[in-house]
Amino acid sequence: DVVQLATISEALGAGEILLNCIDNDGVGQGFDIELVRLVSDAVSIPVIASSGAGVPEHFSEVFEKTKASAGLAAGIFHRREVGIDQVKEHLRDAGVRVRI
């Protein structure tokens, strides 16, 4: 189970968890909020949410609904569907601390 794996990884000395939901990878329908919530609630180390982002609002959603420390995306930036600056500006406007 993913929570057990995360807690064991933390106990063995992991400094952070890069949480990739392969079912959401490249889909652009948003992060797996329930998965990110389960893992980020279970550990005290940073959790990086990965896979599923398609619009800037997906980033603010993962920060509002989970304890994720970061959100990761690649495809939407490589395909130039969304600009990094758009995500940063959206997060700033949503009250999320971000480096501009």
Side-chain angles (χ1 to χ4, degrees):
D1 135 296
V2 68
V3 172
Q4 183 179 16
L5 179 60
T7 56
I8 289 171
S9 297
E10 180 180 31
L12 291 173
E16 65 185 10
I17 295 174
L18 174 57
L19 186 60
N20 179 14
C21 177
I22 198 66
D23 293 335
N24 285 20
D25 199 26
V27 177
Q29 299 297 312
F31 296 100
D32 185 335
I33 298 298
E34 185 58 29
L35 176 66
V36 177
R37 183 183 302 119
L38 283 170
V39 173
S40 64
D41 283 350
V43 297
S44 61
I45 57 177
V47 174
I48 303 165
S50 178
S51 298
V55 295
E57 292 78 11
H58 290 151
F59 290 90
S60 55
E61 177 185 36
V62 79
F63 295 130
E64 290 168 3
K65 296 183 177 179
T66 75
K67 296 177 184 173
S69 299
L72 182 153
I76 62 171
F77 302 131
H78 295 306
R79 293 186 299 271
R80 299 184 181 187
E81 297 168 2
V82 176
I84 294 170
D85 57 331
Q86 289 175 279
V87 173
K88 287 183 171 191
E89 289 173 12
H90 169 76
L91 289 172
R92 181 195 62 211
D93 293 346
V96 177
R97 288 184 56 195
V98 62
R99 288 178 281 185
I100 299 289

